[in-house]
Amino acid sequence: PQRYRADWLESYVSRLLGRDLRELSRLSDPRRLRSLLAGLAAAQGSETVVARLGGAVNLSASTTTSYMEFLRALHLVERLPPWTPNLLKREVGRSKYLLTDSALAMRLTRTSPDTLKDLVRGGALGGLLEAFVAAELMRQSTWCEERFTISHYRSPDGREIDLILEMDGRLHAFEIKRAASPERKIIRTFSLLKKSGREIGPGAVICMAERPFPVDASTFLLPVNLL
């Protein structure tokens, strides 16, 4: 039942940020750590600006970075790095930090399933869905027979690709959309990968479709539940 789920999640967070915080780290403020975690949950799917995130809970950028690394050590948060076309260049752009448990993200932001279904109030669904898909793929990358890495991309002019998988020497672009039938024009950003000079493999739009459907010869609509 929803009430019991909420109680379980609250107890889970309290134990991690209370007992485990004291045992594993010298970080001393569970309330600020929880506020930071809630801030990350509210910004799912967006690039993370560390100074702005920490400033909202009165933390310096350096302390915020330490707190976020601790949350990663607890496996509550994962980092999605920015992709760069040139492997010899240093990483450019901002990372995205996401909660690995979507139920926990919803609890921290006081978001209910009914809210996500609401056409007016359901704006958080897009970010939560993107984080859910990214987290699932990160999990699968630990056991999949084909090794792959995951990143995201934002071009200098602001165009984005939600996820880029590098597998078997090829790049695969993915967009994540809450619609059941996303507009085909959203795959135009996939052409950004051609500038890398790398081999481009099939891409997909992961969405609320009921069944897989080809968009063109190399791009598909894929239902989220295939994950």
Side-chain angles (χ1 to χ4, degrees):
Q2 186 168 335
R3 168 61 190 272
Y4 291 166
R5 291 203 305 271
D7 290 344
W8 189 94
L9 288 165
E10 286 292 341
S11 297
Y12 176 62
V13 174
S14 296
R15 177 178 62 80
L16 283 173
L17 303 188
R19 188 193 69 188
D20 291 3
L21 180 69
R22 290 191 299 271
E23 291 180 357
L24 301 177
S25 173
R26 289 180 294 178
L27 300 174
S28 59
D29 197 336
R31 287 180 299 178
R32 284 190 179 180
L33 196 59
R34 181 192 173 98
S35 295
L36 184 65
L37 192 61
L40 285 168
Q44 298 279 72
S46 302
E47 290 184 325
T48 304
V49 182
V50 174
R52 184 185 304 163
L53 186 68
V57 290
N58 296 317
L59 292 173
S60 68
S62 60
T63 302
T64 302
T65 300
S66 297
Y67 272 47
M68 289 170 68
E69 288 306 307
F70 179 70
L71 292 172
R72 288 183 67 193
L74 291 178
H75 303 291
L76 290 174
V77 169
E78 191 51 81
R79 173 179 174 269
L80 183 65
W83 177 77
T84 178
N86 190 330
L87 296 177
L88 298 179
K89 288 186 177 181
R90 67 179 180 85
E91 185 179 281
V92 294
R94 295 189 179 99
S95 297
K96 292 183 179 182
Y97 286 82
L98 54 93
L99 270 68
T100 55
D101 188 325
S102 297
L104 181 59
M106 290 177 65
R107 178 60 193 164
L108 288 168
T109 55
R110 300 296 190 267
T111 303
S112 70
D114 288 338
T115 300
L116 294 182
K117 295 176 185 177
D118 191 295
L119 294 178
V120 177
R121 299 178 299 153
L125 177 57
L128 284 167
L129 183 64
E130 182 178 333
F132 169 77
V133 171
E136 288 299 308
L137 289 172
M138 286 176 175
R139 271 189 272 273
Q140 293 185 26
S141 71
T142 65
W143 54 257
C144 183
E145 184 174 341
E146 290 283 349
R147 290 184 178 273
F148 62 88
T149 60
I150 310 170
S151 54
H152 75 94
Y153 181 63
R154 177 192 286 269
S155 68
D157 61 0
R159 291 181 292 170
E160 296 185 69
I161 299 176
D162 289 338
L163 296 175
I164 296 176
L165 269 64
E166 297 188 58
M167 179 190 295
D168 195 24
R170 298 194 295 175
L171 303 176
H172 304 266
F174 290 85
E175 282 291 317
I176 303 155
K177 298 298 177 186
R178 55 183 288 186
S181 301
E183 296 181 2
R184 296 189 176 201
K185 65 181 181 181
I186 65 175
I187 66 172
R188 292 175 184 170
T189 56
F190 290 3
S191 63
L192 294 171
L193 296 183
K194 295 179 181 178
K195 299 178 182 179
S196 68
R198 308 271 298 280
E199 184 179 353
I200 309 301
V205 179
I206 300 176
C207 60
M208 296 297 195
E210 294 184 359
R211 59 184 177 83
F213 186 82
V215 177
D216 57 32
S218 62
T219 313
F220 302 85
L221 295 183
L222 297 179
V224 173
N225 61 20
L226 286 183
L227 290 168

